[in-house]
Amino acid sequence: MGTPPALAYDAARMTAATDTHRFPPRTEHLLDRATDFCSRENMKLTSLRRQVLGLMLESARPMGAYDLLEQLRTLHEGAAPPTVYRALDFLLELGLIHKIERLSAFVPCLHTLEHDHGLHAHEEGEECLHSGQFLICRECSQVTELEDAGILAAIVAASRKAGFRMTHSTIEIEGVCARCAGAAHARA
Amino acid sequence: MGTPPALAYDAARMTAATDTHRFPPRTEHLLDRATDFCSRENMKLTSLRRQVLGLMLESARPMGAYDLLEQLRTLHEGAAPPTVYRALDFLLELGLIHKIERLSAFVPCLHTLEHDHGLHAHEEGEECLHSGQFLICRECSQVTELEDAGILAAIVAASRKAGFRMTHSTIEIEGVCARCAGAAHARA
DNA sequence: CATTTGACGATACAATATAACATATCATCG
DNA sequence: CGATGATATGTTATATTGTATCGTCAAATG
Ligand SMILES: [Zn+2]
Ligand SMILES: [Zn+2]
Ligand SMILES: [Zn+2]
Ligand SMILES: [Zn+2]
């Protein structure tokens, strides 16, 4: 992550930055990383997409598309459902966010942002988007993304045994997180 | 209740009883098992629920709630969305069917029907509904339910390591099934 | 510059799921 | 039996989630 050379991209980013909502520094930093990630993939994190990802990073919890729409409207007048869904599709395809199917909601993938790549090889030679594993707390609604090699290995092995060629896996684990379990214990 | 010139009320009951759609023998047999299963749980597989489960057993593929509604209407005039969703909720709670989240669709659980129980202990001492693992073929849309001990063990281990107390897991694996992969290979 | 491509605006709609309240059925007991 | 409470179903309306489609614009391509 050395300092990127000053290129035409910088100009775009400046303009985008001035007329765009500013998130807290930590979020803006992650958004900058996302911008870099996108340009390495020859894609563009437009101002709209950046705002959507920013809203998700600011949220402690998974956000539904219409939650996002409501928030986005305060920043971007005239946003409509397709506005949000297009941004979500883009972010999903790059692996910058994940969808939690059981919640019909979305979370940013910190793994991709922090490791600067969202690819994962779960068969030799085949690269594909990583699909994390999600711990969903039914008390506090927080979601934690894991990337557990043991789970992945077990799933790959079971698929293989069934002659199934896996391309994506959805692993969502519901229960009570450590913090909430601790709180319940303290109350009791 | 026994007066020969049947009152409208009696007639309705008779029609309801005799009028119930008959599925092919194999399906009726599974439905009978489901009836037994329910009564052991002190629940009742009513005619409506039985029809819904029957439709699912007859289908080679996962069925959406509105697919079911459409079919059900040919057997049961006046069925509405809540009719189907209530039956689905009942069947889900007993573990007789599963929801495939990625498809917003439902499949019968042959495991529960064949083993006459849908319970599974994934922590010592704790019994809960089993949550299978599903192989979803993107070519033929068929879904295969696994119950792989290795996957379950890996998930339990990872949850535990995170201090998370799991109560349910959703495992959906997308890809190409053995048959479709074979067909593709043959074509190439 | 002409063309193509991708992103976005805007409207309408489809698909999935639930809320709320009325009625019916069934079991149980006085 | 007849009242009573619990469960199941009927019925209407609505909430929530997700797409299709078409038009406009602007940057990229050549
Ligand atoms: Zn991730
Ligand atoms: Zn929690
Ligand atoms: Zn099952
Ligand atoms: Zn297939």
Side-chain angles (χ1 to χ4, degrees), chain B residues 137 139-140 177 180:
Chain B
C137 178
E139 298 291 333
C140 65
C177 75
C180 290

Side-chain angles (χ1 to χ4, degrees), chain B residues 95 98 108-112 130-132 134 145:
Chain B
H98 297 290
C109 173
L110 291 181
H111 174 265
T112 297
H130 100 111
S131 351
F134 302 92
E145 178 174 356

Side-chain angles (χ1 to χ4, degrees), chain A residues 135-151:
Chain A
L135 303 177
I136 306 171
C137 178
R138 66 158 179 266
E139 298 291 332
C140 65
S141 304
Q142 290 200 16
V143 170
T144 306
E145 178 173 355
L146 299 182
E147 197 169 18
D148 185 274
I151 293 178

Side-chain angles (χ1 to χ4, degrees), chain B residues 14-16 18-19 30 34-35 37 65 71-72 76 119-120 133 138-140 166 178 184 187:
Chain B
M14 288 304 289
T15 21
T18 47
D19 194 16
L30 287 172
T35 300
F37 174 81
Q71 300 278 322
L72 184 61
H76 186 97
L119 300 180
H120 192 98
Q133 302 113 22
R138 65 158 180 266
E139 298 291 333
C140 65
M166 156 172 106
R187 272 201 312 277

Side-chain angles (χ1 to χ4, degrees), chain B residues 154-173:
Chain B
I155 286 178
V156 168
S159 301
R160 215 184 194 105
K161 201 165 79 181
F164 192 89
R165 210 167 64 204
M166 156 172 106
T167 57
H168 177 90
S169 64
T170 300
I171 316 290
E172 299 174 4
I173 305 173

Side-chain angles (χ1 to χ4, degrees), chain B residues 4 20 29 44 49 52 63 74 76 102 115 125 128 150-151 159 165-166 182 184:
Chain B
T20 304
H29 175 247
K44 284 188 199 127
R49 294 162 177 171
V52 169
M63 293 184 78
T74 70
H76 186 97
R102 286 187 65 85
H115 295 64
C128 63
I151 293 178
S159 301
R165 210 167 64 204
M166 156 172 106

Side-chain angles (χ1 to χ4, degrees), chain A residues 32-88:
Chain A
D32 289 340
R33 291 186 70 100
T35 299
D36 294 346
F37 174 80
C38 289
S39 57
R40 276 198 300 281
E41 303 275 330
N42 286 320
M43 295 289 173
K44 281 182 203 141
L45 191 72
T46 62
S47 151
L48 207 45
R49 294 163 177 169
R50 185 179 173 111
Q51 285 183 358
V52 169
L53 182 56
L55 289 171
M56 297 177 70
L57 286 167
E58 285 297 296
S59 168
R61 299 206 283 233
M63 295 185 78
Y66 284 74
D67 297 336
L68 281 164
L69 179 55
E70 187 184 335
Q71 300 278 322
L72 184 60
R73 275 183 165 147
T74 70
L75 308 176
H76 186 98
E77 179 173 1
T83 313
V84 166
Y85 279 103
R86 287 196 280 237
L88 290 173

